[in-house]
């Protein structure tokens, strides 16, 4: 499998708990994106990495959201003190070079906050 | 005003017909345009990318871009029931790293 891999596929957490979502992009892809997709909506941009550098985090909804990609490959999106409004599908996408190229999406993590 | 606007549908067409999906965008400096297909519960899958004015054809799919009108469309010829999905339009400005997605148009192809 050479696609974008995300884990877990489903995550249920109680309000107030911290969660960590993992993304393993296509090998060699420089650009990595995180999106949040609410039911019936299109993906909303959260943050962008070029290799290990987080170049844009303007879409992160609050300081409870944190993302990292320390070695320029696998990325983790962490949400602290989860709230019910954080319930959504979190999509990771990667592209070979710059951000203008088509992105390849993982299957997403469906997060439900009780 | 949203960056990318799509008619949410649902759009229903009979099998074998042409399905026409439309998208408008607000930022004139946008340079890269993409159509993704998303089946229920699945991730978006790239169908077409288009970067210059005019038509681009790939099999049964044709993307059309008109930068003057800030309009991009997707035509699906000989529609099949397997084409039933939500179609997402995405736009990249080239001045930043953000892709802006529309809310998607739900298409149903009726056998």
């Amino acid at each position: 499998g050479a696609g974008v891999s995300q884990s877990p596929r489903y995550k249920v957490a109680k309000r107030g708990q911290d969660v960590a979502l993992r993304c393993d992009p296509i090998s060699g892809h420089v650009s990595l994106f995180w999106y949040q997709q609410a039911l019936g909506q299109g993906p909303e941009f959260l943050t962008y990495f070029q290799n290990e550098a987080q170049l844009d985090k303007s879409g992160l909804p609050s300081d409870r959201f944190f993302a990292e990609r320390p070695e320029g490959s696998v990325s983790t999106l962490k949400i602290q003190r989860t709230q019910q409004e954080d319930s959504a599908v979190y999509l990771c996408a990667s592209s070979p070079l710059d951000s203008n190229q088509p992105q390849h999406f993982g299957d997403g993590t469906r997060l439900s906050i009780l | 005003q949203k960056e990318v606007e799509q008619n949410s549908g649902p759009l229903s067409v009979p099998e074998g017909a042409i399905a026409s999906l439309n998208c408008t965008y607000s930022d004139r400096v946008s340079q890269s345009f993409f159509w993704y297909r998303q089946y229920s519960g699945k991730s978006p899958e790239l169908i077409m990318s288009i970067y210059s004015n005019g038509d681009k054809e790939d099999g049964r799919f044709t993307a059309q871009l008109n930068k003057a009108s800030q309009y991009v469309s997707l035509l699906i010829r000989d529609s099949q029931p397997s084409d039933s999905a939500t179609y997402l339009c995405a736009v990249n400005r080239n001045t930043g790293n953000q892709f802006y997605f529309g809310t998607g148009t739900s298409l149903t192809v009726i056998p």
Side-chain angles (χ1 to χ4, degrees):
Chain A
V4 178
S5 177
Q6 290 189 247
S7 61
R9 288 280 285 121
Y10 303 92
K11 176 69 178 178
V12 179
K14 291 183 179 178
R15 187 174 54 184
Q17 288 183 328
D18 298 348
V19 298
L21 313 179
R22 175 189 168 105
C23 172
D24 199 341
I26 294 172
S27 179
H29 276 197
V30 168
S31 296
L32 185 147
F33 301 79
W34 283 99
Y35 293 89
Q36 181 189 62
Q37 187 173 25
L39 190 64
Q41 301 296 315
E44 295 276 349
F45 171 82
L46 293 178
T47 187
Y48 164 66
F49 289 86
Q50 190 174 90
N51 294 308
E52 69 279 3
Q54 189 176 20
L55 299 187
D56 189 339
K57 55 181 181 179
S58 61
L60 296 176
S62 77
D63 59 7
R64 297 186 294 103
F65 287 71
F66 171 78
E68 60 183 1
R69 194 186 184 196
E71 297 178 359
S73 55
V74 172
S75 176
T76 303
L77 176 67
K78 298 178 180 178
I79 309 173
Q80 298 176 322
R81 304 181 303 282
T82 52
Q83 303 294 316
Q84 282 193 320
E85 62 263 28
D86 300 335
S87 297
V89 175
Y90 290 84
L91 294 166
C92 177
S94 69
S95 66
L97 292 172
D98 60 45
S99 60
N100 298 324
Q101 296 185 303
Q103 300 176 15
H104 302 268
F105 283 83
D107 285 338
T109 294
R110 184 175 298 274
L111 176 64
S112 298
I113 305 300
L114 305 179
Chain B
Q1 182 185 8
K2 285 191 173 182
E3 292 280 346
V4 180
E5 300 264 14
Q6 290 182 258
N7 186 332
S8 62
L11 173 66
S12 294
V13 300
E15 183 174 356
I18 296 175
S20 177
L21 306 164
N22 304 314
C23 172
T24 58
Y25 58 95
S26 61
D27 194 331
R28 284 195 172 274
V29 302
S30 299
Q31 294 292 326
S32 308
F33 307 88
F34 307 90
W35 282 99
Y36 285 84
R37 177 175 62 197
Q38 187 172 29
Y39 293 112
S40 180
K42 299 294 186 181
S43 62
E45 171 192 10
L46 180 70
I47 297 177
M48 295 278 286
S49 57
I50 186 166
Y51 302 93
S52 55
N53 279 329
D55 294 1
K56 179 180 178 183
E57 187 175 319
D58 183 1
R60 295 187 296 112
F61 299 96
T62 299
Q64 299 174 318
L65 175 61
N66 183 327
K67 290 186 179 180
S69 300
Q70 294 175 236
Y71 175 92
V72 59
S73 66
L74 179 70
L75 299 178
I76 306 174
R77 289 181 300 281
D78 188 25
S79 295
Q80 302 296 310
S82 59
D83 295 327
S84 298
T86 296
Y87 289 81
L88 297 164
C89 172
V91 172
N92 181 286
R93 286 181 186 170
N94 274 28
T95 58
N97 303 307
Q98 296 192 24
F99 270 52
Y100 294 93
F101 282 85
T103 55
T105 298
S106 175
L107 172 67
T108 300
V109 180
I110 303 167

